[in-house]
Amino acid sequence: MRRRRLELSFCPAVNIFSGRENSLQISQLYHVTYTCEFDLLMFPFDSQVCSLRFTMVSASAPYLRLTTTKAFYTGQKDLIEYTIPLSNVTVEEGTDGDFSSVTVYVRFSRRYEFYLLTLYIPTTLLILIAYSTFYFNPVIFQPRIIVAITALLVLSSLFTQVGWRWWGRRIYLVFRLGKG
């Protein structure tokens, strides 16, 4: 058996760039679910700030940096319960431990007219109707109790409907992060 000798020759690379003059950009679409805790002390006349933190965990910050200058909200400005002013979306770059991160702050302004029309005004009217039964003649007990019980039943069904509608309510927002 004969052995052949393999000779390797190296060619100098002609086009090698250091990469300092070049930037690499990647754009990806993610579907992320965030939970924001709201302070309901001034409900329904409040505004809430929700922070969305994006962290690049595939490499540490000195090697890979997540940068953006603006967050674009692409959804409707006026939702059923909230208004999202486009000027109230701010971006802050930073680090989360060893990794690069971007935090987007979104301010939700609650539409108090919605709550006034669907909750406070109907409740006030039903309480006034139920309270007006105290001014009925005590001799006519049956209409007095029927009006009071009917008002309380309507009020309890209103609270049940409102409670189930708002319990676990989710707001879906779409943002686009990018330069300028």
Side-chain angles (χ1 to χ4, degrees):
M1 199 166 167
R2 278 177 62 180
R3 290 190 179 183
R4 284 182 154 183
R5 189 171 194 182
L6 184 63
E7 242 181 74
L8 296 175
S9 61
F10 293 100
C11 294
V14 178
N15 295 324
I16 296 179
F17 296 101
S18 67
R20 292 185 180 155
E21 303 87 22
N22 305 320
S23 64
L24 182 62
Q25 219 173 16
I26 188 169
S27 175
Q28 293 182 345
L29 180 65
Y30 291 100
H31 176 80
V32 182
T33 302
Y34 280 91
T35 302
C36 295
E37 293 184 13
F38 289 167
D39 181 18
L40 300 176
L41 182 66
M42 296 295 294
F43 178 83
F45 306 104
D46 60 343
S47 345
Q48 306 291 334
V49 176
C50 187
S51 62
L52 313 170
R53 179 177 287 265
F54 301 93
T55 304
M56 182 66 71
V57 294
S58 58
S60 60
Y63 301 107
L64 186 63
R65 198 175 87 208
L66 184 62
T67 61
T68 186
T69 56
K70 191 152 180 74
F72 303 97
Y73 172 63
T74 58
Q76 292 181 350
K77 179 184 169 195
D78 293 323
L79 302 173
I80 292 175
E81 299 177 35
Y82 297 97
T83 299
I84 302 174
L86 300 179
S87 62
N88 283 343
V89 177
T90 57
V91 177
E92 178 182 288
E93 292 183 19
T95 57
D96 188 9
D98 292 334
F99 302 108
S100 176
S101 68
V102 170
T103 306
V104 178
Y105 297 99
V106 182
R107 177 174 293 278
F108 296 92
S109 298
R110 198 176 304 268
R111 297 179 63 186
Y112 64 88
E113 305 92 2
F114 171 77
Y115 295 99
L116 287 176
L117 292 175
T118 59
L119 186 64
Y120 288 103
I121 292 175
T123 302
T124 305
L125 291 175
L126 286 170
I127 289 173
L128 289 175
I129 290 171
Y131 188 73
S132 69
T133 60
F134 289 121
Y135 296 102
F136 287 7
N137 190 354
V139 176
I140 52 170
F141 180 74
Q142 187 176 1
R144 184 177 185 181
I145 197 71
I146 288 175
V147 170
I149 288 176
T150 303
L152 289 175
L153 285 173
V154 170
L155 193 60
S156 67
S157 69
L158 175 70
F159 283 147
T160 304
Q161 178 186 6
V162 167
W164 280 111
R165 184 172 23 159
W166 289 330
W167 186 260
R169 168 78 57 157
R170 293 183 180 170
I171 301 172
Y172 295 100
L173 304 174
V174 177
F175 283 94
R176 188 175 53 121
L177 302 175
K179 298 275 185 195

